[in-house]
């Protein structure tokens, strides 16, 4: 039987397991990446494993999230990451050098290799034919130490593209179209493979926009073939030697196939507060806009920026709009400056922000009260912009510019003819923003520099045979990690300080939760479907652990978050009958007993002591996961090996 691209890469990296959907497979990891908001924790975990040098082919530590430096916290963390990277064999991408996914695509990504990153948008590398996964920091630490990465073997979904995009319709609209069709949970349990004759007209950065937003579908990852388009991109980056062709076999079998005719698409927009609330731009045209942001790991490539510059050239943004542009990397910014395109952007009245995540994660540039913000980003979860009642819409760069110029949501096709944008044959190569690690001998003498913001990690609690605890929080469907552990300029600097972070846990849902959880001692959280969607931040598990959460009972979990809960030693349990969710009330006393046996049989009963109700729960774990839970988390488990 023929194989898909993902299956071929998996087979070449398989350490153990059976590649049938639903079984656990262990994969060898070639490359890792971290960013600073999850990186401090990942490197603390790596250090605690006592391994001198990373065992991967390439590991890179990026600083791109926490670049505001409003006090000592961020610069101390940067200094820690820089020193730990130099000592342990990791490349260090300095603050200002760019967003991890954009820089990794430009300078380090290699088709056919495996990559895990402590950021959920790591599948951006799939645009280059990498098999790239977002993971918790601890999984990345283990991979740096040479350990396998474990996932449940996904099913295969093929998206067949035909035709070609019309002017003003973009790769972002392709992402929004698939989200419109499948929703934020439609990709759960799948690897999405993009193919068909339509892909030939999509450049690597456009493909990367699409694989980047596969994360919003809940997909395990997304991937494109590696073809002549890939070769041309690598050649322009001075890396043609990294090119290898990759395609699926003609008789590869997919569990699901979706067809999209690119020539039928039109400009789309995701309305507040979910990336799948997609409608046509035309249907909401005329809505007043307060803010427009171009950038993020979804839309910050040179191609995107050149289009933005060409459309802004000689025009001025509307008085009621504040517009920001954050190029994805120093390479992009340097080339914009060199070509004069930067002058066209600035001449329009737009503000230039640093090459970093910035407004995407609420690090500055929040909208005004109730403000409508159009963003070329990938997430518009409630409160994420830093303004609780901000109304964030997700759009393409073309729609962003058209709306900034008119001051109201505007279909970009109203701008007339799309100016032609020519991509250079060679990119500006300047790797001075990336510092190499010290060699193994020199590294021995190096000190790791720690600041006072680094506080001890919470101790994992071994899962015993019974949990008796209060149901301290009951939440609904599609709870994101931004609900569980918000980010933003005020909170993000404390990613290595769990006690401080804990004050904000579930702040979007119920600000009284931290106090109540602490008072309860041990507790259980109950949730609806797709619990923990969004970010890979393991803080969304570590902080609840610190607050005494011992189990989360949900109608369903997002993949990375479920893994992070197990890694933290918190039991993720699923309702067998989703209606039982309605029988449990916040404040009830719950008993989950017979856990030892339940973890083997895969089923367990929850009893509600307060109202006498019972609910059957799925408690299916692999042997390795059971061992991790019994040790009180992956870190404790790793020490037993
Ligand atoms: C995000 O987009 O939510 C983040 C911030 O990049 C996160 C990582 C984090 O929380 O640090 C992600 O996507 O994993
Ligand atoms: Fe950064 Fe936003 Fe991309 Fe997350 S989604 S990595 S915050 S740019």
């Amino acid at each position: 039987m023929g194989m898909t691209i993902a299956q071929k890469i998996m087979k070449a990296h398989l350490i153990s397991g059976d590649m049938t959907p639903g079984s656990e497979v262990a994969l060898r990891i070639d490359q890792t990446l971290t960013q600073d908001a999850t990186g401090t924790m990942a490197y603390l975990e790596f250090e605690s494993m006592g391994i001198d040098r990373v065992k991967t082919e390439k590991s890179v530590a990026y600083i791109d999230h926490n670049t505001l430096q409003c006090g000592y916290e961020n610069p101390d963390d940067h200094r820690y990451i820089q020193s730990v990277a130099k000592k342990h064999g990791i490349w260090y991408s300095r603050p200002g050098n760019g967003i991890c996914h954009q820089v990794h695509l430009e300078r380090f990504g290699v088709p056919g290799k495996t990559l895990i990153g402590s950021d959920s948008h790591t599948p951006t590398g799939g645009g280059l034919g990498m098999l790239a996964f977002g993971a918790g920091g601890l999984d990345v630490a283990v991979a740096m130490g040479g350990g396998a990465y474990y996932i449940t073997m996904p099913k295969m979904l093929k998206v067949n593209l035909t035709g070609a995009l019309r002017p003003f319709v973009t790769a972002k609209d392709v992402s929004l179209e698939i989200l419109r069709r499948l929703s934020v949970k439609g990709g759960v349990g799948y690897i999405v493979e993009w193919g068909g004759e339509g892909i030939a007209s999509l450049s690597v950065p456009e493909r990367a926009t699409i694989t980047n937003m596969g994360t919003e579908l809940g997909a395990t990852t997304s991937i494109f073939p590696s073809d002549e388009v890939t070769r041309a991109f690598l050649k322009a980056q001075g890396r043609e030697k990294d090119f290898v062709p990759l395609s699926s076999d003609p008789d590869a079998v997919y569990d699901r196939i979706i067809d999209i005719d690119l020539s039928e698409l039109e400009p789309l927009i995701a309305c507040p507060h979910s990336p799948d609330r997609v409608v046509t731009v035309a249907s909401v045209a005329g809505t007043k806009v307060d803010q427009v942001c171009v950038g993020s790991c979804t839309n910050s490539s040179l191609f995107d920026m050149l289009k933005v510059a060409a459309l802004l050239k000689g025009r001025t943004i509307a008085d009621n709009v504040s517009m920001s542009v954050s190029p994805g990397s120093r390479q992009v910014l340097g080339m914009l400056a060199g070509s004069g395109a930067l002058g066209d952007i600035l001449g329009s009245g737009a503000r230039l922000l640093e090459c970093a995540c910035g407004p995407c994660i609420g690090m500055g540039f929040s909208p005004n009260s109730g403000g409508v913000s159009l963003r070329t980003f990938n997430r518009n979860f409630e409160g994420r912009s830093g303004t609780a009642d901000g109304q964030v819409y997700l759009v393409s760069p073309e729609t962003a510019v058209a709306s900034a110029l008119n001051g109201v949501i505007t279909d970009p096709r109203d701008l007339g003819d799309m100016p032609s944008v020519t991509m250079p044959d060679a990119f500006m190569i300047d790797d001075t923003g990336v510092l190499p690690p010290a060699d193994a001998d020199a590294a021995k003498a190096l000190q790791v520099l720690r600041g006072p913001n680094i506080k001890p990690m919470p101790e994992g609690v071994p899962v015993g045979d019974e949990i008796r605890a209060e149901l301290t929080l009951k939440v609904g469907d599609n709870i994101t990690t931004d609900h569980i552990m918000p980010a933003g300029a005020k909170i993000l600097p404390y990613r290595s300080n769990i006690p401080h972070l804990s004050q904000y846990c579930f702040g979007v849902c119920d600000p009284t939760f931290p106090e109540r959880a602490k008072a309860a001692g041990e507790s259980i959280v109950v949730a609806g479907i797709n619990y923990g969607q969004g970010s890979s931040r393991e803080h969304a598990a570590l902080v609840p652990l610190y607050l005494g959460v011992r189990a989360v009972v949900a109608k369903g979990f997002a993949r990375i978050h479920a893994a992070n809960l197990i890694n933290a030693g918190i039991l993720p349990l699923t309702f067998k009958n989703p209606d039982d969710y309605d029988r449990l009330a916040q404040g009830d006393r719950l008993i989950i007993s017979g856990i030892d046996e339940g973890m083997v049989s895969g089923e367990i009963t929850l009893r509600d002591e307060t109202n006498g109700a019972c609910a059957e729960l799925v408690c299916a774990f692999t042997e390795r996961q059971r061992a991790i839970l019994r040790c009180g988390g992956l870190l404790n488990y790793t020490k037993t090996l």
Side-chain angles (χ1 to χ4, degrees), residues 130-262:
M130 295 194 90
L131 192 67
F133 305 97
L138 194 43
D139 283 324
V140 176
V142 168
M144 286 192 287
Y149 178 54
Y150 290 82
I151 56 166
T152 304
M153 186 67 197
K155 292 191 275 188
M156 300 289 146
L157 190 161
K158 171 92 181 271
V159 186
N160 247 327
L161 297 180
T162 52
L165 293 167
R166 291 176 297 166
F168 291 108
V169 186
T170 70
K172 180 59 158 281
D173 300 302
V174 178
S175 292
L176 294 173
E177 170 65 9
I178 189 97
L179 274 155
R180 186 183 72 77
R181 293 200 200 179
L182 295 183
S183 89
V184 289
K185 52 179 198 315
V188 172
Y190 285 99
I191 290 183
V192 184
E193 205 165 289
W194 294 78
E197 82 210 26
I199 64 164
S201 62
L202 297 174
S203 64
V204 166
E206 289 172 291
R207 295 174 180 188
T209 294
I210 293 173
T211 55
N212 173 284
M213 280 195 80
T215 300
E216 277 49 64
L217 289 171
T220 303
T221 189
S222 305
I223 192 165
F224 272 81
S226 172
D227 55 11
E228 286 311 307
V229 173
T230 322
R231 185 203 291 273
F233 176 81
L234 287 169
K235 187 170 176 212
Q237 290 288 350
R239 302 201 289 123
E240 196 179 356
K241 63 170 184 7
D242 288 338
F243 174 73
V244 283
L246 275 174
S247 57
S248 56
D249 292 329
D251 56 345
V253 177
Y254 294 89
D255 300 279
R256 189 170 175 194
I257 298 179
I258 291 176
D259 295 307
I260 297 182
D261 181 351
L262 295 173

Side-chain angles (χ1 to χ4, degrees), residues 60-61 63 78-79 81-82 85 90-95 433-436:
V60 190
I63 307 289
H78 300 172
R79 193 180 54 155
I81 294 177
Q82 180 169 355
I90 298 148
W91 295 72
Y92 176 73
S93 173
R94 310 176 78 152
V434 187
L435 306 180

